[in-house]
Structure formats: C-alpha cells, structure tokens
Amino acid sequence: MSITLLWAVDVYGRVYSVSTAGQRWERADDALLELKRVTAGKGRCWGIGCDHHVYLNMMPHETPIRYREETYENQRWNPVDGFTDTLLPTDRWSWSDVMGMNPQSLQGFQLPSRSWEWEGDWYVDQSCGGEPSQTGGWEYAVDFPANFSPDKKWNSCVRRRRWIRYRRYIAQGSWAKIPMDHPWKAPLPLCDISSGGWEMSDESGRYPYLWAVSQQGQVWFREGIHPRVPEGTSWEEVDVPQEVAQLSLGPRDLLWAVLWDGNLMVRTGLSLDNPIGTSWVELASPAKEVETLHVTVGVSVVWVVTKDYKVWFRRGVNSHNPCGSGWISIGGEMMMVDVGLNDQVWAVGEDRGLYFRMGVTPSEPSGNGWIPVSAQWGNSKEAAPPSNQPTEASRSSILSCTDSGLERGPTELPNSTPVLEAADPSVVPLGGSDTAPQRREDTPAAPKSLIPASDSFINSLVSDRDKTSTLQQTIKPQEEGGRFSPAQILMSPDAAGPITPWSNVDLEGAEGSRSTHAAAGACSGNDTAAYGLGLDGSHGIGEEDGPVWAWISGGGCSVDASSQISWLSATGPLVSSLSLTPVQSSAWSEQEHKDDINKKPLERSNVRSIWVRKGTLRWWRDWKPQRWLDVSVALEQSTKSDGKKDSIFFVYYTQYDEKKYLHVFINEVTALVPVIRDCHYAFAVYTGQRSRQRCPLLLAALTEQDMNDWLTLLSDCCCECRGITAPPSRHALWSTTSKGDIFVHEPSFSLEAATHTLTCDLMFWRQVPGHLRCVESNSLGLVWGIGWDGTAWVYGGRCGQQATPDADAGDVHQQTDARSVHVYENQRWNPVTGYTDKGLPTDRPMWSDESGLRECTKGNTHPPSPQWSWVSEWAVDQTVPGGTDKEGWQYAADFPTTFHGHKTMKDFVRRRRWSRKCKITLSGPWQEVPPIPLSDISLMPCLAQSKMEEVPLWALSDKGGVLCRLGVTTQNPAGTSWLHVGTDQPFKSISIGGANQVWAIAKDGAVFYRGSVSPHNPAGECWYHIPSPSRQTLRQVSVGRTSVFAVDENCNLWYRQGLTPSYPQGSAWELISNNVTKVSVGPLDQMWIIADGMPGFPAETPGALCHRLGVGPMQPKGQHWDYGLGGGWEHVSVRANSVEAPRTQHPLPPGPSHSPQLPSRANGNAMVGVSV
C-alpha cells in the first residue's frame, strides 16, 4: 500500500499530517501558516487561510510538474523585403496563438505565481508536425488560415514557427497561495472548499475538481485544474436557489450542500462533459426541527451531522440516485465528519478528538463503531524553532490577522499557572503524561482573556449549540477552603506569550473542552492537572498536550477496513464516551479504570448499521423497445438499534445517456419466482403494485449459482423483515408454479375475515426447496406432493416446529423430477403433393407449440430451464388425447379445430406431437413414497383442534386407479401401505372433504361419490354416480367441510347444491364463474382457484392465484374474486388453513347472483368474468 497522509487542523489554524506508515503527527513546515479548513485529494491538499486565500500543497513526486508555454511567430512575404513581420491589416498578429485569435508576444508571458519558475529561455521548435525539419522551424502556407507544411512552394505567401518555453512548479511539499483571478479585486471571502471528482473517469491520474462556498452563500467552481496546471485558472460562479453554508464533493459525481436554513441540496447531472452539473434538488434535514450542520460525501455514501451533533447516514445513494432514499441514525456525537478514500469515515468528536469509523466496507458502508485516531504527539517537526524568514503564506496570514482588527489578549499576565479541576471524575486525557503536575496553591486568580475567532461562519454554528450542552459557562474565580473552583483557568506570562494567534473557533468553548478532558486526578478529586495555554519555548498555544482539533480530511489517506495502521486500533486509547458531552465527562483517576475502557471500542452496540450487497444482473425492460439490459443492482439492509431490519433493492440502469434507477422496498415484496424466459437464469420480483399492474420486475443472472445466491439473499431479507424464521406452519397455504417451484404463505386471521380481508396481491409467498407439480396438505402438518413424473413425495420439514440445524440437515434429501417437452409438426393437404409442410400464409408455423401461436422446432426447443437436462431424444408421441393413427398423426378440417385420430374426406390439416424427456436433480425436504406413480392426491381437511389417529388420504395412480393410504399419522406422515379401491373405469380427479366425503371424476367426466367411508372403514363400500352438468365434462373436484366445487373442460366453475348430512350427494350443479383451471376448498369452505387468465391482460401467461371473497355460512358460493399473483401458477392448496377469524355480522354488498355480469373491480383488482 502506498504511503498517504491524513490531514487535520486544530482550533488555532495549525495544519498537521500523519502518514499511514508513520506514528506521529507532524506540523507543516510553515510554523506561522494558519488555515480554517482543508480538503485533501490524491497527491494534494487544499486549504482556506484566515486571509480568505486558497492554498495548495502538492505532494512531492519523482516526476516534476512542467507546463509548456508556446506562441507562434507569423510572417508574410512581399516582393521588396521577402518574409517580414509586416502583415496585412486583415492578418493575425505577428505573435499569436496557434489559431491566430489572440496576441501572444514573448514579453507578455508571466509566471502565474511564485510557485513557478522558468526552466530556460525561449527557443524555436525545429520540428514540423513532429518530424525534424531543416527550415529553421518555419511552416509555409498560401494564406492565413490554411494548412501549413514544411515545404516552401512558389505560392507560399505566409509562414509561421513555434516558440517554446517551459515553466516548472517548485512548490511541491509546501503550502502555496493560489493567485487571485483579478489582482486588483479583493479576494473572495471563502468559508468552505471541497475537492473531488478524480474517479469520475476510469482514466488513471484523473485531475480533481474544486468547489468553494463564499461567506455570502455563493457557490464557485475552480476551472482549469489539470495535471500540468494544479492551481487551476479561474473561478466560475454556479447559480444556487438559496444561500449555501457548506458543501462536499465526492470522488465521483456526488455533490451535496448545506443551506443556511439547515436543509440540504443535491447537485444533479454531474459528468465529465458537464462537471458543474445541471440542477439542484432540495432535501429536508434528517432530524425534524434540527438543522443540518455538516455534510460529507464519498463514492456512494453521504454522512450528515446535525446541530445536536447527531450523525446520520443516507441510504440508497448512487450516481443513478444521488438524492438517496432515507436516513439512518448512527451512534456517536460529532462536530464534523469527512469521507475519505474507499468511503472510509473520519470525524472530529464533540470532545475535539479525532475518530475513525471502523468496519466500513463495500458491503457494510456504515461501519460498526468509532475508534480514536491515536497517533503519537511530541518530538515532531514543530518542536524546531520557527524560521526567522516566514514564507509568503505566513506573511499573508500575519498581515490578514493584523488588518482584520482582532483584539489581542493582554501581553502581560500575573505569574500563574492554569489550573483545571474537574467536577466529575470521568475524563480520559486527550494527551500528555498519565501523571499530572501538582497545582500551585499560592497562585492568584486572573481574569479570563477574550480571544475572538476569525471564522465567523464556524462561530455562528458553534453559537447555535444548546447552552446546557456547551462548555461556555460562566467561570468565576472562587476560593473555597484553599481550593480553586472547578474549571478555573489561571495564566502566566510564559504560558500566554506576548501575542495570541488567530483562532479557528470560539476559544472559550475550545479551551474549556481541552481543559475538561485534560484533567486527571483521583476519584476523590484531590489531584489536579496544569496545562499551559501560551507559547513555551518551541511549543505553540496548547501544543504541549496535543492539539484541540477542529477539522479533518481523509481524502488523501488510503485506508480500508483491512489496513494495518499503527495509529488505528480498536484497542487503542479511548478518548471519551461519545454518548456524553464534554461537560458530562470528567477524569478517571485510576489507571485500572483506563485500562478497562481502553480495551473497548466506542459505540460497538445499540447502533443502526447498513449492509450492502452489490452485483450485476440483466433486467427485462417492459416498455418499448422491450429487451434485456445489463444493469447494476444493490441490496441495502439497515439494522435498527432494536434489531429490526429493513431493506431496499435497487436496479441502476442508463437510458439515453441518463442515469436512472428502480427501487423495491423488501417489505413490499410479495414473491420471488424463478421464471422461464429466453433460456436465462431469470426470476421475477413481485410487489403489491406490480401484481396489480401485472408487470413483475424481471431479472436474470449469468449463471445458475448467481441466480440462486440472489434468490436466497432476497428471500432471507424478506423473511427477516416479516419476522419469519420457522418452517411453514401447519396452516400454511401451498402452491406450485408451472415451472415446478413450490411456495407457501403463512395465513393470518385477516385472510378469511368477513371484512378488511387481506388482498391477494399483498400476500407474501416464500419458496420451499423442491420441485413438484402439485401439493396437498391439512392442518395437522401433513404435506404430500406429486412430481411431474408422477412420483409421490412427503414433506419432512416439520411443519409448525422450530427449525434446528441438525434437524434441517437430516430432513434434506435428493429429489429428482422428469417431464416431457412437446413440439407439434403441422401439415396441410394439397391436391398435387398431398400432406406437406407448405401451409397457407395464414396458417400456423409448420413447427409450433400446442396453441400454434409460437414457432417451436426441435432444434430451437430447450428444456424448461437451464437446471434441466435432456435424458432422451425426440420421438413421436402417440399418447395424445383424442388418439392418433399409426404414425402419430391427428387430423382436422382446419387450424385450429378439434383434432381426431382418423382421417376423413374433410380433413385438410394434420399434426403430430414430438416429445423429449428432461430431468432435474436437486435437494429439498421431501422424502419419496414408492412405488406407485400418482396423478392426484387428497388429504382430509380438518380444524386445528381436531385429533385423528390416522389421517384419511386418497390418491389416483397414473393409470387412473383409486388408492387409499393406510397408516398416515403425524408421526409417520408417509403412511405404511396402499389399499386399492375398485372402480369400473379410470379416474382423473379425487378429493376427500369433511366427514369423510369422497368425490371423484372419471376420465370420461362422470362424477362419483364414495359411500360409507369412515375411520373404521377407510375404503368405503361403493360408488354412487352423480349426474354431471348439462353438456359439460368435469375434470377436477375439491371438497371442503360442507361444500363441493368442480371445474369442467371449458374452465367453468360449478357448485354442488343441496348438500346435507342426510343427503351428501346434493341435488344440482350451479355455475359460479368461468376462467378457472383449478379449485381448492379448505376446511372453512374458503375457496381459492387458479384462473386461466387475468381480465384486461390478455398477454399475461395463464395461471393466476385468485381468492373468492364473501364466502360464509349464508353465502357458500361467495360473491366476487380477488386476483393476486399472476402468470405461470399451476396449483394451489388451502386445505390446511383452518385459521378462522372471529365472525361478526356485517352486511355484504348487494349484487345480482343469477345474471351475467362483466368483470368488476374490488380493491383495485380486476374481478370475476361471468357469474350466474
């Protein structure tokens, strides 16, 4: 690591620096230099003197800073004298710049300041266009202006040559005054400067920018700063809507400012092409009714100190979002903070000590505690006597102090020594020895001298402090029993010196702070400490005990969280507790107490912290032109003092060279769903608003590992924000997507409440490891699932129990699943060639999906996601519904119509399905239940207080056989064996409800009810045939506690009327709604469905979660739908949710129940399609 410097200024304007490779503070060589504040950058440091001039200190470097001055000598040819400097009136000057627009004689070049010197005299550049020339450096042309060349031709009427002279910067390693733009004008009364912008470009050695604030509230920008011109050239005023008190520029494109009224302003539009930005945005102070005192910015962080000395961190700050998104309160009480390199934070505490924020990393930008800067003091450069010949900076400082009319302190004071006596023994000394000199008992009291401050701006800020928390207390010389009163100060001629130098802040408060913290004595208060306040030999005022700091700048100090710096240590000297003001702190007398405290870093606990994870993903821009964009993302999590966490997810992108961003509050995220999108490792982020708008945030990673890492991280943050730490509860809602991912939702009383029902778009779904086609559960904690290949699985994650590491590790098993991918080959008949792949222009693609809307060939069709892999080759599938011929073809009159398996005279088109099997392998809390593949499964729903020795479980095999599982209990959820139940035809759907009601649907759509099912007779006696709805073929059934619902092949939802305990078969079917693909009825007769599509959003992928509202004992059919997550949902099960809200009588809104109605809206969501 290269050696860099940390800069600081004490309250007397003295400038100090400490090297990262050193151990001691070193004062600037110019002992009389007095600066208000400094701002450091890479290789340089700027400062504001008490004379209002700006000073620059360039670090010494092996490569000198040289600047080339050049001018051109121009001549014209005439027939008498040849080439002379006598030019035409319309020509350029005889000595000019390269363009000829400005005159530049050799005598007109002057050094810009005393920091430069000429390296030599003017000489002619003998090269022309970079190549040596024999023409004496002359270039010829026909006329001005024209293209010049070293070749002289017959028509060359003008010529020129370049003169060069170099000047060198000689003030490296010392403070040099920046010359004024106009020497005859008064200097700008600047009160603050800030340097930055050197990382705005990827170029190495990028020069910085400099901004300044005048005491009138104006903002200025320094132009012309260049590696060869470190001082810059001139000041340019930047318009501001209000007066500015202080500003800070980061290494890149962040610029924040503090206004006179205590609010903040942010400069937007900063870039390489426009370094002064475009506009201002005003922000309120972090704390209500407390004005902002100081702001500092880094690459992507902003820190603020308010006038109550509280420290604040701005979250969400980025070049795409310079204003950020919210404030975080950070522990500690500071006078000012400064963000240096690598976003490391330095501060001046309220006790005037220097502090460093430890633990600041890119992933935790707020750090985790303050530690003191414990560089050694004494035996440094300032110990040498000052030079008899002060430098220019020293002379200007002295003159400015003299001219300003400052009132000097008395030149002669009684021979006395300053004595401090702490009222409260709890102060740790700022410096000096552990043993304090004894107080002189015969020292008389002396009046306190008035030392005014030169920096009116800082004084105004200090004067705003609460009088009860400052050290500016009335000091009265009192003598009680031979002892001086607390905080009494006595001065001697040797201590005071003849002249009191310029002060950076209110010295009354500063000396009180120093003195209070410098006291050391016994807890009984018998010992006192004496410190000189004047010049004593080679020391300045207060130097023998270390400086009292006023300012710090770490912009040139390269330190990070892993740096090993001798004067930065978490176990270094602890200066004071940052939760106490200097008045509340006093001396620790015993070394044992100091040793105990020194081992503890400051403010390690009870602090809000920020944690950030950054990365790159691809984002699907959902507006035209729709396409994938490479974006930067950041997950920012803050931890409050009470342990609560909240997070924000940012997506940063660029549109038309303008930086923009999206953000999602993690506590608003409702689901994180892996999706199938263009063969990417993609996932969708749902929120309530995005669910209503049907436009989730789509992101994609480059690798599967990256996607899984982000999904795990985001999911963990979502669960932390909601306080979810345990596995799914016994009452959880389960669902699966068409991709096979499994999700659960933890229900609340409001989910099925009659009023104030939780809307579907606000439900939080978290993913459970595994891959299944459907999941069924009940409130006893039993969960079964079926994979796409028909394999049965039972959940082993201990529903409703607290997770333990050992149990979780034992519950994870390897899970596999397989499914077939289909493409359709389409052909049309013509009289010449018969069936061919030459279709009509209006036909579907000759290779397509089942719908015919999308072209799918065997070559461009891939597995559902990159996690899948092929396990077979393409083959003709002859198991298509409707039958096929020997070659697998199905025939129809045209596209699209119903296909059949035999050819007729009217069939002009045909198709056949090609299939290819793929497989996925992963780990999850699922245990396989061999050996029979299943197609459907159902567990009997029950209330939470129910107790059963064995839980009834019915299933269908992949061949359509009916099965009953025996031995299923909470201790043995997998059961023991299958019991085959006889049928005369294969079934495709089965469901068991309350009171052991078993309903089933055959493959031909016939409905059956199983009679005499009981705990003693789990298989029942016989099947009763139930008439189907007129001209409809049912395909799925779900039975609740007292209600039965079914779905037909046309996506219509039916309700079975007339169910009674004496007549459980019911009397008739009633149409409830259309647009339904699957239904699930729970133990409270609540009803949830998977909708085929979302009304008003025809382009959305089929499969949306919907909840039937208004369901009750008097209204078992409900009244309307509440649409939730949409697009790609395959299955939902609410049969475990027995969380019943207290029932109250609330009138339901009236509405027609037997007439068709258009889609309506409730809670902002599109509702039902058709109800009768």
Side-chain angles (χ1 to χ4, degrees), residues 723-768:
I724 301 175
T725 59
S729 68
R730 296 183 175 185
H731 306 285
L733 278 68
W734 293 75
S735 63
T736 60
T737 66
S738 57
K739 186 175 174 289
D741 297 305
I742 309 165
F743 290 86
V744 294
H745 168 73
E746 298 298 335
S748 61
F749 287 108
S750 62
L751 187 61
E752 302 296 342
T755 58
H756 307 291
T757 306
L758 177 68
T759 58
C760 287
D761 50 53
L762 297 180
M763 296 171 60
F764 172 65
W765 295 87
R766 54 171 169 154
Q767 188 174 359
V768 175

Coordinates of all heavy atoms in Angstrom, one line a residue, residues 723-768:
G723 N -40.3 -11.2 10.1 CA -40.1 -12.0 11.3 C -40.4 -13.4 11.1 O -40.7 -14.1 12.0
I724 N -40.2 -14.0 9.9 CA -40.4 -15.4 9.6 C -39.1 -16.1 9.7 O -38.1 -15.9 9.0 CB -41.0 -15.6 8.2 CG1 -42.3 -14.8 8.1 CG2 -41.1 -17.0 7.9 CD1 -42.9 -14.9 6.7
T725 N -39.0 -17.0 10.7 CA -37.8 -17.7 10.9 C -38.0 -19.2 11.0 O -37.0 -20.0 10.8 CB -37.1 -17.3 12.3 OG1 -38.0 -17.5 13.3 CG2 -36.7 -15.8 12.2
A726 N -39.2 -19.7 11.1 CA -39.5 -21.1 11.3 C -39.9 -21.7 10.0 O -40.2 -21.0 9.0 CB -40.6 -21.3 12.3
P727 N -40.0 -23.1 9.8 CA -40.5 -23.7 8.6 C -42.0 -23.4 8.5 O -42.6 -22.8 9.3 CB -40.3 -25.2 8.9 CG -39.3 -25.3 10.0 CD -39.4 -24.0 10.8
P728 N -42.6 -23.8 7.4 CA -44.0 -23.5 7.2 C -44.9 -24.0 8.3 O -44.6 -25.1 8.8 CB -44.3 -24.2 5.8 CG -43.0 -24.3 5.1 CD -42.0 -24.4 6.2
S729 N -45.9 -23.3 8.7 CA -46.7 -23.7 9.8 C -47.7 -24.7 9.3 O -47.8 -25.0 8.1 CB -47.5 -22.5 10.3 OG -48.4 -22.0 9.4
R730 N -48.5 -25.3 10.2 CA -49.5 -26.3 9.9 C -50.6 -25.7 9.0 O -51.3 -26.5 8.4 CB -50.0 -26.9 11.1 CG -49.0 -27.7 11.9 CD -49.6 -28.4 13.1 NE -48.6 -29.2 13.9 CZ -49.0 -30.0 14.9 NH1 -50.2 -30.0 15.3 NH2 -48.0 -30.7 15.5
H731 N -50.8 -24.4 9.1 CA -51.9 -23.8 8.4 C -51.5 -23.1 7.1 O -52.3 -22.4 6.6 CB -52.6 -22.8 9.4 CG -53.0 -23.3 10.7 ND1 -54.1 -24.2 10.8 CD2 -52.5 -23.2 11.9 CE1 -54.3 -24.5 12.1 NE2 -53.3 -24.0 12.8
A732 N -50.3 -23.4 6.7 CA -49.8 -22.6 5.5 C -50.6 -23.0 4.3 O -51.0 -24.1 4.1 CB -48.3 -22.9 5.4
L733 N -50.7 -22.0 3.4 CA -51.2 -22.2 2.0 C -50.0 -22.7 1.1 O -48.9 -22.1 1.2 CB -51.8 -21.0 1.4 CG -53.2 -20.6 1.9 CD1 -53.3 -20.3 3.3 CD2 -53.8 -19.5 1.0
W734 N -50.2 -23.7 0.3 CA -49.2 -24.2 -0.5 C -49.6 -24.0 -2.0 O -50.8 -24.0 -2.3 CB -48.9 -25.7 -0.3 CG -48.3 -26.0 1.0 CD1 -49.0 -26.0 2.2 CD2 -47.0 -26.3 1.3 NE1 -48.1 -26.3 3.3 CE2 -46.9 -26.6 2.7 CE3 -45.9 -26.5 0.5 CZ2 -45.7 -26.9 3.3 CZ3 -44.7 -26.9 1.2 CH2 -44.6 -27.1 2.5
S735 N -48.6 -23.7 -2.8 CA -48.9 -23.6 -4.3 C -47.6 -23.9 -5.1 O -46.5 -24.0 -4.5 CB -49.2 -22.1 -4.6 OG -48.2 -21.2 -4.3
T736 N -47.8 -24.2 -6.3 CA -46.7 -24.5 -7.2 C -46.9 -23.8 -8.5 O -48.0 -23.4 -8.9 CB -46.7 -26.0 -7.6 OG1 -47.9 -26.4 -8.2 CG2 -46.5 -26.9 -6.3
T737 N -45.8 -23.5 -9.2 CA -45.8 -22.9 -10.5 C -45.8 -23.9 -11.6 O -45.5 -25.1 -11.4 CB -44.7 -21.9 -10.6 OG1 -43.4 -22.6 -10.6 CG2 -44.7 -20.9 -9.4
S738 N -46.0 -23.4 -12.8 CA -45.9 -24.3 -14.0 C -44.5 -24.8 -14.2 O -44.2 -25.7 -14.9 CB -46.4 -23.6 -15.2 OG -45.7 -22.4 -15.4
K739 N -43.5 -24.1 -13.6 CA -42.1 -24.5 -13.7 C -41.8 -25.5 -12.7 O -40.7 -26.2 -12.8 CB -41.3 -23.2 -13.5 CG -39.8 -23.4 -13.6 CD -39.1 -22.1 -13.5 CE -37.6 -22.2 -13.6 NZ -37.1 -22.9 -12.3
G740 N -42.6 -25.7 -11.6 CA -42.4 -26.7 -10.6 C -41.9 -26.2 -9.3 O -41.6 -27.0 -8.4
D741 N -41.8 -24.9 -9.1 CA -41.3 -24.3 -7.9 C -42.4 -24.3 -6.9 O -43.6 -24.2 -7.2 CB -40.8 -22.9 -8.1 CG -39.6 -22.9 -9.0 OD1 -38.6 -23.6 -8.7 OD2 -39.6 -22.2 -10.0
I742 N -42.1 -24.5 -5.6 CA -43.0 -24.6 -4.5 C -43.0 -23.4 -3.6 O -41.9 -22.9 -3.3 CB -42.7 -25.9 -3.7 CG1 -42.5 -27.1 -4.6 CG2 -43.8 -26.1 -2.6 CD1 -41.9 -28.3 -3.9
F743 N -44.2 -22.9 -3.3 CA -44.3 -21.7 -2.5 C -45.3 -21.9 -1.4 O -46.3 -22.7 -1.5 CB -44.7 -20.5 -3.3 CG -43.7 -20.0 -4.3 CD1 -43.5 -20.6 -5.5 CD2 -42.8 -19.0 -3.9 CE1 -42.5 -20.2 -6.4 CE2 -41.8 -18.6 -4.8 CZ -41.7 -19.2 -6.0
V744 N -45.1 -21.2 -0.2 CA -46.0 -21.2 0.9 C -46.3 -19.8 1.4 O -45.5 -18.9 1.2 CB -45.4 -22.1 2.1 CG1 -45.3 -23.5 1.7 CG2 -44.1 -21.5 2.5
H745 N -47.5 -19.7 2.0 CA -47.9 -18.4 2.6 C -48.4 -18.7 4.0 O -49.2 -19.6 4.2 CB -49.0 -17.7 1.7 CG -49.6 -16.6 2.4 ND1 -49.0 -15.4 2.6 CD2 -50.9 -16.5 3.0 CE1 -49.8 -14.6 3.3 NE2 -50.9 -15.2 3.5
E746 N -48.0 -17.9 4.9 CA -48.4 -18.0 6.3 C -49.7 -17.2 6.5 O -49.6 -16.0 6.4 CB -47.3 -17.5 7.3 CG -46.0 -18.3 7.2 CD -46.2 -19.8 7.6 OE1 -47.2 -20.1 8.3 OE2 -45.5 -20.6 7.1
P747 N -50.8 -17.8 6.7 CA -52.1 -17.1 6.8 C -52.2 -16.4 8.1 O -51.6 -16.7 9.1 CB -53.1 -18.2 6.6 CG -52.5 -19.4 7.2 CD -51.0 -19.3 6.9
S748 N -53.1 -15.3 8.1 CA -53.4 -14.6 9.3 C -54.9 -14.6 9.4 O -55.7 -15.1 8.5 CB -52.9 -13.2 9.2 OG -53.5 -12.5 8.1
F749 N -55.4 -14.0 10.5 CA -56.9 -14.0 10.7 C -57.6 -13.2 9.6 O -58.7 -13.4 9.3 CB -57.2 -13.4 12.1 CG -56.9 -14.4 13.2 CD1 -55.8 -14.2 14.0 CD2 -57.6 -15.5 13.4 CE1 -55.5 -15.0 15.1 CE2 -57.3 -16.4 14.5 CZ -56.3 -16.1 15.3
S750 N -56.8 -12.2 9.1 CA -57.5 -11.3 8.1 C -57.6 -11.9 6.7 O -58.3 -11.4 5.9 CB -56.7 -10.0 8.0 OG -55.4 -10.3 7.5
L751 N -57.0 -13.1 6.5 CA -57.1 -13.7 5.2 C -58.5 -14.2 4.9 O -58.9 -14.0 3.7 CB -56.1 -14.9 5.1 CG -55.9 -15.5 3.7 CD1 -55.4 -14.5 2.7 CD2 -55.0 -16.7 3.8
E752 N -59.2 -14.7 5.8 CA -60.6 -15.2 5.6 C -61.6 -14.4 6.4 O -62.7 -14.9 6.6 CB -60.7 -16.7 5.9 CG -59.7 -17.6 5.2 CD -60.0 -17.6 3.7 OE1 -61.1 -17.2 3.3 OE2 -59.1 -18.0 2.9
A753 N -61.2 -13.2 6.8 CA -62.1 -12.4 7.6 C -63.3 -11.9 6.7 O -63.1 -11.7 5.5 CB -61.4 -11.2 8.3
A754 N -64.4 -11.7 7.3 CA -65.6 -11.2 6.6 C -65.3 -9.7 6.1 O -65.8 -9.3 5.0 CB -66.8 -11.2 7.4
T755 N -64.6 -9.0 6.9 CA -64.3 -7.6 6.5 C -62.8 -7.4 6.6 O -62.1 -8.1 7.3 CB -65.1 -6.6 7.4 OG1 -64.7 -6.8 8.7 CG2 -66.6 -6.7 7.2
H756 N -62.3 -6.3 5.9 CA -60.9 -6.0 5.9 C -60.1 -7.2 5.6 O -59.0 -7.5 6.2 CB -60.5 -5.4 7.3 CG -61.4 -4.3 7.7 ND1 -61.3 -3.0 7.1 CD2 -62.3 -4.2 8.7 CE1 -62.2 -2.2 7.7 NE2 -62.8 -2.9 8.7
T757 N -60.5 -7.9 4.6 CA -59.7 -9.1 4.1 C -58.4 -8.7 3.5 O -58.3 -7.7 2.7 CB -60.6 -9.9 3.2 OG1 -61.9 -10.2 3.8 CG2 -59.9 -11.2 2.8
L758 N -57.4 -9.5 3.8 CA -56.1 -9.3 3.2 C -56.2 -9.6 1.7 O -56.6 -10.7 1.3 CB -55.0 -10.1 3.9 CG -53.6 -10.1 3.3 CD1 -53.0 -8.7 3.5 CD2 -52.7 -11.2 3.8
T759 N -55.9 -8.6 0.9 CA -56.0 -8.9 -0.6 C -54.9 -9.8 -1.0 O -53.8 -9.9 -0.5 CB -55.9 -7.5 -1.3 OG1 -54.7 -6.9 -1.0 CG2 -57.1 -6.6 -0.9
C760 N -55.1 -10.5 -2.1 CA -54.2 -11.5 -2.7 C -52.9 -10.8 -3.1 O -51.8 -11.5 -3.0 CB -54.8 -12.2 -3.8 SG -56.1 -13.4 -3.3
D761 N -52.9 -9.6 -3.6 CA -51.7 -9.0 -4.1 C -50.7 -8.6 -3.0 O -49.6 -8.2 -3.3 CB -52.0 -7.9 -5.0 CG -53.0 -6.9 -4.4 OD1 -52.7 -6.4 -3.3 OD2 -54.0 -6.6 -5.0
L762 N -51.2 -8.7 -1.7 CA -50.3 -8.3 -0.6 C -49.8 -9.5 0.2 O -49.1 -9.4 1.2 CB -51.1 -7.4 0.4 CG -51.5 -6.0 -0.2 CD1 -52.2 -5.2 0.8 CD2 -50.3 -5.2 -0.8
M763 N -50.2 -10.7 -0.3 CA -49.8 -11.9 0.4 C -48.3 -12.2 0.1 O -47.9 -12.1 -1.1 CB -50.6 -13.1 0.0 CG -52.1 -13.0 0.4 SD -53.1 -14.3 -0.3 CE -52.3 -15.7 0.3
F764 N -47.6 -12.6 1.1 CA -46.1 -12.9 0.9 C -46.0 -14.4 0.7 O -46.4 -15.2 1.6 CB -45.3 -12.4 2.0 CG -43.9 -12.9 2.0 CD1 -43.0 -12.5 0.9 CD2 -43.4 -13.8 2.9 CE1 -41.7 -12.9 0.9 CE2 -42.1 -14.2 2.8 CZ -41.2 -13.8 1.8
W765 N -45.4 -14.8 -0.4 CA -45.1 -16.2 -0.7 C -43.6 -16.4 -0.7 O -42.9 -15.7 -1.4 CB -45.7 -16.6 -2.1 CG -47.2 -16.5 -2.2 CD1 -48.0 -15.4 -2.5 CD2 -48.1 -17.6 -1.9 NE1 -49.3 -15.8 -2.5 CE2 -49.4 -17.1 -2.1 CE3 -47.9 -18.9 -1.6 CZ2 -50.5 -17.9 -2.0 CZ3 -49.1 -19.7 -1.5 CH2 -50.4 -19.2 -1.7
R766 N -43.2 -17.4 0.1 CA -41.8 -17.7 0.1 C -41.6 -19.1 -0.5 O -42.5 -20.0 -0.4 CB -41.2 -17.7 1.5 CG -42.0 -18.5 2.5 CD -41.2 -18.6 3.8 NE -42.1 -19.2 4.9 CZ -41.6 -19.9 5.9 NH1 -40.3 -20.0 6.0 NH2 -42.4 -20.4 6.8
Q767 N -40.4 -19.3 -1.1 CA -40.2 -20.6 -1.8 C -39.6 -21.6 -0.9 O -38.9 -21.3 0.1 CB -39.2 -20.3 -2.9 CG -39.0 -21.5 -3.9 CD -38.1 -21.2 -5.0 OE1 -37.6 -20.1 -5.2 NE2 -37.9 -22.2 -5.9
V768 N -40.1 -22.9 -1.1 CA -39.6 -24.0 -0.4 C -38.8 -24.9 -1.3 O -39.2 -25.1 -2.5 CB -40.8 -24.8 0.2 CG1 -40.3 -26.1 0.9 CG2 -41.5 -24.0 1.2

